[in-house]
mmCIF file of all heavy atoms in Angstrom:
data_model
loop_
_atom_site.group_PDB
_atom_site.id
_atom_site.type_symbol
_atom_site.label_atom_id
_atom_site.label_comp_id
_atom_site.label_asym_id
_atom_site.label_seq_id
_atom_site.Cartn_x
_atom_site.Cartn_y
_atom_site.Cartn_z
ATOM 1 N N PRO A 242 30.096 -58.811 -0.490
ATOM 2 C CA PRO A 242 31.357 -58.775 0.266
ATOM 3 C C PRO A 242 32.522 -58.164 -0.513
ATOM 4 O O PRO A 242 33.480 -57.675 0.100
ATOM 5 C CB PRO A 242 31.623 -60.250 0.574
ATOM 6 C CG PRO A 242 30.279 -60.883 0.573
ATOM 7 C CD PRO A 242 29.511 -60.171 -0.500
ATOM 8 N N HIS A 243 32.457 -58.160 -1.844
ATOM 9 C CA HIS A 243 33.537 -57.594 -2.650
ATOM 10 C C HIS A 243 33.632 -56.077 -2.498
ATOM 11 O O HIS A 243 34.650 -55.488 -2.895
ATOM 12 C CB HIS A 243 33.325 -57.933 -4.136
ATOM 13 C CG HIS A 243 33.540 -59.365 -4.474
ATOM 14 N ND1 HIS A 243 34.784 -59.899 -4.737
ATOM 15 C CD2 HIS A 243 32.663 -60.395 -4.583
ATOM 16 C CE1 HIS A 243 34.672 -61.188 -5.005
ATOM 17 N NE2 HIS A 243 33.390 -61.518 -4.916
ATOM 18 N N PHE A 244 32.594 -55.450 -1.953
ATOM 19 C CA PHE A 244 32.569 -53.993 -1.864
ATOM 20 C C PHE A 244 33.043 -53.474 -0.511
ATOM 21 O O PHE A 244 33.035 -52.273 -0.276
ATOM 22 C CB PHE A 244 31.160 -53.488 -2.182
ATOM 23 C CG PHE A 244 30.767 -53.743 -3.605
ATOM 24 C CD1 PHE A 244 30.225 -54.970 -3.991
ATOM 25 C CD2 PHE A 244 30.968 -52.783 -4.579
ATOM 26 C CE1 PHE A 244 29.887 -55.218 -5.307
ATOM 27 C CE2 PHE A 244 30.635 -53.016 -5.901
ATOM 28 C CZ PHE A 244 30.096 -54.238 -6.267
ATOM 29 N N ASP A 245 33.455 -54.373 0.360
ATOM 30 C CA ASP A 245 34.051 -53.991 1.622
ATOM 31 C C ASP A 245 35.464 -53.437 1.342
ATOM 32 O O ASP A 245 36.208 -54.050 0.568
ATOM 33 C CB ASP A 245 34.127 -55.225 2.533
ATOM 34 C CG ASP A 245 34.576 -54.909 3.948
ATOM 35 O OD1 ASP A 245 34.060 -53.943 4.513
ATOM 36 O OD2 ASP A 245 35.446 -55.625 4.456
ATOM 37 N N PRO A 246 35.880 -52.288 1.848
ATOM 38 C CA PRO A 246 35.265 -51.517 2.940
ATOM 39 C C PRO A 246 34.336 -50.388 2.508
ATOM 40 O O PRO A 246 33.769 -49.719 3.371
ATOM 41 C CB PRO A 246 36.499 -50.945 3.645
ATOM 42 C CG PRO A 246 37.460 -50.676 2.540
ATOM 43 C CD PRO A 246 37.248 -51.815 1.544
ATOM 44 N N GLN A 247 34.206 -50.116 1.180
ATOM 45 C CA GLN A 247 33.308 -49.019 0.795
ATOM 46 C C GLN A 247 31.900 -49.252 1.335
ATOM 47 O O GLN A 247 31.236 -48.326 1.808
ATOM 48 C CB GLN A 247 33.252 -48.873 -0.732
ATOM 49 C CG GLN A 247 34.569 -48.434 -1.372
ATOM 50 C CD GLN A 247 35.259 -49.619 -2.018
ATOM 51 O OE1 GLN A 247 35.282 -50.722 -1.449
ATOM 52 N NE2 GLN A 247 35.814 -49.410 -3.202
ATOM 53 N N ILE A 248 31.424 -50.493 1.207
ATOM 54 C CA ILE A 248 30.182 -50.912 1.845
ATOM 55 C C ILE A 248 30.577 -52.006 2.830
ATOM 56 O O ILE A 248 30.818 -53.149 2.437
ATOM 57 C CB ILE A 248 29.166 -51.441 0.820
ATOM 58 C CG1 ILE A 248 28.815 -50.344 -0.194
ATOM 59 C CG2 ILE A 248 27.906 -51.939 1.519
ATOM 60 C CD1 ILE A 248 27.867 -50.798 -1.291
ATOM 61 N N PRO A 249 30.689 -51.671 4.109
ATOM 62 C CA PRO A 249 31.194 -52.641 5.090
ATOM 63 C C PRO A 249 30.369 -53.924 5.098
ATOM 64 O O PRO A 249 29.141 -53.880 5.046
ATOM 65 C CB PRO A 249 31.075 -51.896 6.417
ATOM 66 C CG PRO A 249 31.063 -50.449 6.044
ATOM 67 C CD PRO A 249 30.361 -50.373 4.715
ATOM 68 N N TRP A 250 31.049 -55.056 5.168
ATOM 69 C CA TRP A 250 30.374 -56.347 5.242
ATOM 70 C C TRP A 250 30.069 -56.604 6.709
ATOM 71 O O TRP A 250 30.794 -57.269 7.418
ATOM 72 C CB TRP A 250 31.253 -57.430 4.631
ATOM 73 C CG TRP A 250 30.660 -58.799 4.560
ATOM 74 C CD1 TRP A 250 31.213 -59.957 5.034
ATOM 75 C CD2 TRP A 250 29.410 -59.178 3.971
ATOM 76 N NE1 TRP A 250 30.389 -61.029 4.774
ATOM 77 C CE2 TRP A 250 29.279 -60.583 4.119
ATOM 78 C CE3 TRP A 250 28.397 -58.462 3.329
ATOM 79 C CZ2 TRP A 250 28.165 -61.275 3.654
ATOM 80 C CZ3 TRP A 250 27.287 -59.164 2.867
ATOM 81 C CH2 TRP A 250 27.191 -60.559 3.037
ATOM 82 N N SER A 251 28.964 -56.044 7.179
ATOM 83 C CA SER A 251 28.635 -56.060 8.602
ATOM 84 C C SER A 251 27.207 -56.538 8.815
ATOM 85 O O SER A 251 26.407 -56.628 7.876
ATOM 86 C CB SER A 251 28.785 -54.644 9.185
ATOM 87 O OG SER A 251 27.845 -53.763 8.595
ATOM 88 N N SER A 252 26.889 -56.806 10.069
ATOM 89 C CA SER A 252 25.534 -57.255 10.413
ATOM 90 C C SER A 252 24.496 -56.205 10.043
ATOM 91 O O SER A 252 23.401 -56.532 9.562
ATOM 92 C CB SER A 252 25.451 -57.559 11.911
ATOM 93 O OG SER A 252 26.323 -58.601 12.271
ATOM 94 N N ALA A 253 24.822 -54.931 10.262
ATOM 95 C CA ALA A 253 23.870 -53.860 9.963
ATOM 96 C C ALA A 253 23.587 -53.775 8.471
ATOM 97 O O ALA A 253 22.440 -53.591 8.049
ATOM 98 C CB ALA A 253 24.417 -52.525 10.482
ATOM 99 N N VAL A 254 24.615 -53.890 7.662
ATOM 100 C CA VAL A 254 24.436 -53.831 6.208
ATOM 101 C C VAL A 254 23.636 -55.027 5.719
ATOM 102 O O VAL A 254 22.746 -54.899 4.869
ATOM 103 C CB VAL A 254 25.808 -53.753 5.504
ATOM 104 C CG1 VAL A 254 25.660 -54.027 4.006
ATOM 105 C CG2 VAL A 254 26.437 -52.388 5.728
ATOM 106 N N ILE A 255 23.936 -56.208 6.251
ATOM 107 C CA ILE A 255 23.206 -57.411 5.855
ATOM 108 C C ILE A 255 21.730 -57.288 6.225
ATOM 109 O O ILE A 255 20.835 -57.632 5.433
ATOM 110 C CB ILE A 255 23.831 -58.661 6.493
ATOM 111 C CG1 ILE A 255 25.196 -58.936 5.859
ATOM 112 C CG2 ILE A 255 22.923 -59.874 6.337
ATOM 113 C CD1 ILE A 255 25.971 -60.050 6.519
ATOM 114 N N ALA A 256 21.452 -56.770 7.424
ATOM 115 C CA ALA A 256 20.057 -56.599 7.850
ATOM 116 C C ALA A 256 19.322 -55.628 6.926
ATOM 117 O O ALA A 256 18.166 -55.856 6.557
ATOM 118 C CB ALA A 256 20.014 -56.095 9.284
ATOM 119 N N ARG A 257 20.008 -54.557 6.541
ATOM 120 C CA ARG A 257 19.391 -53.584 5.644
ATOM 121 C C ARG A 257 19.143 -54.196 4.261
ATOM 122 O O ARG A 257 18.079 -53.985 3.655
ATOM 123 C CB ARG A 257 20.308 -52.359 5.507
ATOM 124 C CG ARG A 257 19.804 -51.285 4.558
ATOM 125 C CD ARG A 257 18.478 -50.727 4.981
ATOM 126 N NE ARG A 257 18.171 -49.502 4.232
ATOM 127 C CZ ARG A 257 16.950 -49.090 3.958
ATOM 128 N NH1 ARG A 257 15.903 -49.802 4.369
ATOM 129 N NH2 ARG A 257 16.751 -47.967 3.295
ATOM 130 N N ALA A 258 20.104 -54.969 3.768
ATOM 131 C CA ALA A 258 19.950 -55.624 2.471
ATOM 132 C C ALA A 258 18.781 -56.607 2.502
ATOM 133 O O ALA A 258 18.027 -56.727 1.528
ATOM 134 C CB ALA A 258 21.240 -56.341 2.095
ATOM 135 N N GLN A 259 18.613 -57.294 3.611
ATOM 136 C CA GLN A 259 17.511 -58.237 3.727
ATOM 137 C C GLN A 259 16.159 -57.523 3.773
ATOM 138 O O GLN A 259 15.156 -58.050 3.292
ATOM 139 C CB GLN A 259 17.712 -59.110 4.967
ATOM 140 C CG GLN A 259 18.852 -60.101 4.808
ATOM 141 C CD GLN A 259 19.173 -60.868 6.071
ATOM 142 O OE1 GLN A 259 18.926 -60.382 7.184
ATOM 143 N NE2 GLN A 259 19.724 -62.058 5.927
ATOM 144 N N GLU A 260 16.124 -56.315 4.335
ATOM 145 C CA GLU A 260 14.903 -55.517 4.298
ATOM 146 C C GLU A 260 14.512 -55.202 2.851
ATOM 147 O O GLU A 260 13.339 -55.304 2.476
ATOM 148 C CB GLU A 260 15.102 -54.196 5.056
ATOM 149 C CG GLU A 260 15.125 -54.320 6.563
ATOM 150 C CD GLU A 260 15.283 -52.961 7.217
ATOM 151 O OE1 GLU A 260 15.278 -51.940 6.473
ATOM 152 O OE2 GLU A 260 15.404 -52.902 8.440
ATOM 153 N N LEU A 261 15.504 -54.830 2.059
ATOM 154 C CA LEU A 261 15.236 -54.532 0.654
ATOM 155 C C LEU A 261 14.787 -55.785 -0.083
ATOM 156 O O LEU A 261 13.910 -55.733 -0.947
ATOM 157 C CB LEU A 261 16.488 -53.949 -0.005
ATOM 158 C CG LEU A 261 16.996 -52.630 0.578
ATOM 159 C CD1 LEU A 261 18.283 -52.230 -0.113
ATOM 160 C CD2 LEU A 261 15.957 -51.539 0.457
ATOM 161 N N GLU A 262 15.394 -56.913 0.261
ATOM 162 C CA GLU A 262 15.006 -58.195 -0.338
ATOM 163 C C GLU A 262 13.531 -58.484 -0.099
ATOM 164 O O GLU A 262 12.826 -59.016 -0.969
ATOM 165 C CB GLU A 262 15.861 -59.311 0.256
ATOM 166 C CG GLU A 262 15.434 -60.716 -0.144
ATOM 167 C CD GLU A 262 16.127 -61.777 0.699
ATOM 168 O OE1 GLU A 262 17.100 -61.449 1.386
ATOM 169 O OE2 GLU A 262 15.687 -62.934 0.657
ATOM 170 N N GLN A 263 13.038 -58.089 1.068
ATOM 171 C CA GLN A 263 11.651 -58.365 1.443
ATOM 172 C C GLN A 263 10.685 -57.297 0.929
ATOM 173 O O GLN A 263 9.487 -57.375 1.150
ATOM 174 C CB GLN A 263 11.553 -58.459 2.967
ATOM 175 C CG GLN A 263 12.321 -59.641 3.537
ATOM 176 C CD GLN A 263 12.590 -59.519 5.028
ATOM 177 O OE1 GLN A 263 12.072 -58.604 5.681
ATOM 178 N NE2 GLN A 263 13.399 -60.414 5.573
ATOM 179 N N GLY A 264 11.226 -56.294 0.205
ATOM 180 C CA GLY A 264 10.366 -55.280 -0.383
ATOM 181 C C GLY A 264 10.084 -54.092 0.505
ATOM 182 O O GLY A 264 9.204 -53.287 0.194
ATOM 183 N N ASN A 265 10.825 -53.939 1.614
ATOM 184 C CA ASN A 265 10.628 -52.792 2.503
ATOM 185 C C ASN A 265 11.434 -51.602 1.991
ATOM 186 O O ASN A 265 12.476 -51.250 2.540
ATOM 187 C CB ASN A 265 11.056 -53.153 3.937
ATOM 188 C CG ASN A 265 10.234 -54.285 4.497
ATOM 189 O OD1 ASN A 265 9.052 -54.405 4.207
ATOM 190 N ND2 ASN A 265 10.848 -55.125 5.312
ATOM 191 N N TRP A 266 10.930 -50.984 0.932
ATOM 192 C CA TRP A 266 11.683 -49.929 0.250
ATOM 193 C C TRP A 266 11.194 -48.530 0.593
ATOM 194 O O TRP A 266 11.933 -47.578 0.455
ATOM 195 C CB TRP A 266 11.580 -50.118 -1.270
ATOM 196 C CG TRP A 266 12.184 -51.387 -1.764
ATOM 197 C CD1 TRP A 266 12.886 -52.317 -1.034
ATOM 198 C CD2 TRP A 266 12.148 -51.885 -3.104
ATOM 199 N NE1 TRP A 266 13.279 -53.345 -1.839
ATOM 200 C CE2 TRP A 266 12.843 -53.109 -3.107
ATOM 201 C CE3 TRP A 266 11.600 -51.403 -4.278
ATOM 202 C CZ2 TRP A 266 12.998 -53.862 -4.265
ATOM 203 C CZ3 TRP A 266 11.756 -52.144 -5.438
ATOM 204 C CH2 TRP A 266 12.449 -53.362 -5.425
ATOM 205 N N GLY A 267 9.922 -48.409 0.953
ATOM 206 C CA GLY A 267 9.376 -47.091 1.193
ATOM 207 C C GLY A 267 9.410 -46.233 -0.054
ATOM 208 O O GLY A 267 9.615 -45.029 0.020
ATOM 209 N N ALA A 268 9.266 -46.849 -1.208
ATOM 210 C CA ALA A 268 9.442 -46.121 -2.473
ATOM 211 C C ALA A 268 8.157 -46.056 -3.296
ATOM 212 O O ALA A 268 8.207 -45.897 -4.501
ATOM 213 C CB ALA A 268 10.556 -46.770 -3.279
ATOM 214 N N GLY A 269 7.002 -46.204 -2.667
ATOM 215 C CA GLY A 269 5.752 -46.045 -3.405
ATOM 216 C C GLY A 269 5.212 -47.348 -3.961
ATOM 217 O O GLY A 269 5.792 -48.423 -3.793
ATOM 218 N N ALA A 270 4.091 -47.270 -4.640
ATOM 219 C CA ALA A 270 3.390 -48.459 -5.127
ATOM 220 C C ALA A 270 4.196 -49.249 -6.129
ATOM 221 O O ALA A 270 4.082 -50.471 -6.203
ATOM 222 C CB ALA A 270 2.060 -48.041 -5.745
ATOM 223 N N ALA A 271 5.024 -48.569 -6.931
ATOM 224 C CA ALA A 271 5.799 -49.284 -7.949
ATOM 225 C C ALA A 271 6.725 -50.309 -7.310
ATOM 226 O O ALA A 271 7.048 -51.324 -7.917
ATOM 227 C CB ALA A 271 6.611 -48.300 -8.783
ATOM 228 N N ALA A 272 7.134 -50.035 -6.083
ATOM 229 C CA ALA A 272 8.069 -50.943 -5.423
ATOM 230 C C ALA A 272 7.448 -52.311 -5.190
ATOM 231 O O ALA A 272 8.151 -53.317 -5.161
ATOM 232 C CB ALA A 272 8.524 -50.356 -4.086
ATOM 233 N N GLN A 273 6.140 -52.374 -5.040
ATOM 234 C CA GLN A 273 5.503 -53.648 -4.715
ATOM 235 C C GLN A 273 5.689 -54.667 -5.827
ATOM 236 O O GLN A 273 6.041 -55.821 -5.569
ATOM 237 C CB GLN A 273 4.021 -53.421 -4.428
ATOM 238 C CG GLN A 273 3.769 -52.521 -3.227
ATOM 239 C CD GLN A 273 2.295 -52.242 -3.017
ATOM 240 O OE1 GLN A 273 1.436 -52.809 -3.694
ATOM 241 N NE2 GLN A 273 1.986 -51.359 -2.084
ATOM 242 N N ALA A 274 5.466 -54.254 -7.063
ATOM 243 C CA ALA A 274 5.608 -55.178 -8.185
ATOM 244 C C ALA A 274 7.056 -55.615 -8.346
ATOM 245 O O ALA A 274 7.348 -56.788 -8.570
ATOM 246 C CB ALA A 274 5.112 -54.519 -9.475
ATOM 247 N N VAL A 275 7.971 -54.659 -8.221
ATOM 248 C CA VAL A 275 9.380 -54.999 -8.368
ATOM 249 C C VAL A 275 9.836 -55.886 -7.219
ATOM 250 O O VAL A 275 10.636 -56.799 -7.395
ATOM 251 C CB VAL A 275 10.249 -53.724 -8.433
ATOM 252 C CG1 VAL A 275 11.689 -54.074 -8.746
ATOM 253 C CG2 VAL A 275 9.718 -52.777 -9.482
ATOM 254 N N ALA A 276 9.318 -55.629 -6.025
ATOM 255 C CA ALA A 276 9.725 -56.416 -4.858
ATOM 256 C C ALA A 276 9.427 -57.890 -5.049
ATOM 257 O O ALA A 276 10.232 -58.750 -4.690
ATOM 258 C CB ALA A 276 9.024 -55.897 -3.607
ATOM 259 N N ARG A 277 8.274 -58.201 -5.623
ATOM 260 C CA ARG A 277 7.943 -59.606 -5.847
ATOM 261 C C ARG A 277 8.923 -60.235 -6.833
ATOM 262 O O ARG A 277 9.357 -61.375 -6.649
ATOM 263 C CB ARG A 277 6.502 -59.723 -6.365
ATOM 264 C CG ARG A 277 5.457 -59.384 -5.325
ATOM 265 C CD ARG A 277 4.074 -59.820 -5.763
ATOM 266 N NE ARG A 277 3.601 -59.056 -6.909
ATOM 267 C CZ ARG A 277 2.894 -57.938 -6.813
ATOM 268 N NH1 ARG A 277 2.598 -57.435 -5.634
ATOM 269 N NH2 ARG A 277 2.482 -57.311 -7.902
ATOM 270 N N THR A 278 9.270 -59.481 -7.878
ATOM 271 C CA THR A 278 10.235 -59.987 -8.843
ATOM 272 C C THR A 278 11.594 -60.177 -8.186
ATOM 273 O O THR A 278 12.268 -61.192 -8.391
ATOM 274 C CB THR A 278 10.366 -59.014 -10.041
ATOM 275 O OG1 THR A 278 9.075 -58.805 -10.607
ATOM 276 C CG2 THR A 278 11.285 -59.579 -11.103
ATOM 277 N N MET A 279 12.008 -59.205 -7.390
ATOM 278 C CA MET A 279 13.314 -59.277 -6.745
ATOM 279 C C MET A 279 13.376 -60.447 -5.769
ATOM 280 O O MET A 279 14.386 -61.133 -5.673
ATOM 281 C CB MET A 279 13.611 -57.979 -6.002
ATOM 282 C CG MET A 279 13.725 -56.754 -6.894
ATOM 283 S SD MET A 279 14.714 -57.047 -8.375
ATOM 284 C CE MET A 279 16.185 -57.706 -7.634
ATOM 285 N N THR A 280 12.299 -60.655 -5.020
ATOM 286 C CA THR A 280 12.268 -61.774 -4.083
ATOM 287 C C THR A 280 12.456 -63.091 -4.817
ATOM 288 O O THR A 280 13.188 -63.979 -4.374
ATOM 289 C CB THR A 280 10.940 -61.795 -3.313
ATOM 290 O OG1 THR A 280 10.809 -60.570 -2.587
ATOM 291 C CG2 THR A 280 10.897 -62.955 -2.338
ATOM 292 N N ALA A 281 11.805 -63.204 -5.981
ATOM 293 C CA ALA A 281 11.944 -64.424 -6.777
ATOM 294 C C ALA A 281 13.388 -64.610 -7.226
ATOM 295 O O ALA A 281 13.914 -65.726 -7.232
ATOM 296 C CB ALA A 281 11.020 -64.367 -7.992
ATOM 297 N N VAL A 282 14.039 -63.517 -7.597
ATOM 298 C CA VAL A 282 15.443 -63.596 -8.003
ATOM 299 C C VAL A 282 16.290 -64.136 -6.858
ATOM 300 O O VAL A 282 17.117 -65.034 -7.027
ATOM 301 C CB VAL A 282 15.962 -62.210 -8.437
ATOM 302 C CG1 VAL A 282 17.461 -62.257 -8.687
ATOM 303 C CG2 VAL A 282 15.248 -61.745 -9.692
ATOM 304 N N LEU A 283 16.078 -63.581 -5.689
ATOM 305 C CA LEU A 283 16.893 -63.980 -4.545
ATOM 306 C C LEU A 283 16.652 -65.436 -4.161
ATOM 307 O O LEU A 283 17.575 -66.160 -3.792
ATOM 308 C CB LEU A 283 16.594 -63.064 -3.356
ATOM 309 C CG LEU A 283 16.980 -61.596 -3.571
ATOM 310 C CD1 LEU A 283 16.408 -60.729 -2.464
ATOM 311 C CD2 LEU A 283 18.485 -61.449 -3.615
ATOM 312 N N VAL A 284 15.405 -65.877 -4.248
ATOM 313 C CA VAL A 284 15.081 -67.250 -3.896
ATOM 314 C C VAL A 284 15.714 -68.235 -4.867
ATOM 315 O O VAL A 284 16.204 -69.308 -4.486
ATOM 316 C CB VAL A 284 13.548 -67.450 -3.854
ATOM 317 C CG1 VAL A 284 13.198 -68.920 -3.773
ATOM 318 C CG2 VAL A 284 12.965 -66.703 -2.659
ATOM 319 N N THR A 285 15.724 -67.884 -6.163
ATOM 320 C CA THR A 285 16.200 -68.829 -7.163
ATOM 321 C C THR A 285 17.686 -68.702 -7.447
ATOM 322 O O THR A 285 18.246 -69.532 -8.159
ATOM 323 C CB THR A 285 15.444 -68.627 -8.495
ATOM 324 O OG1 THR A 285 15.634 -67.273 -8.936
ATOM 325 C CG2 THR A 285 13.965 -68.905 -8.327
#
């Protein structure tokens, strides 16, 4: 939220951020390992 308005604090941005949280990066196999680590960060 501190980056609003450069990155609007909106429903669309939140939905996109949550996609990244879940590992939906479309960035190749390397993303899978990092996604699990990132998910753990977000959970904890």
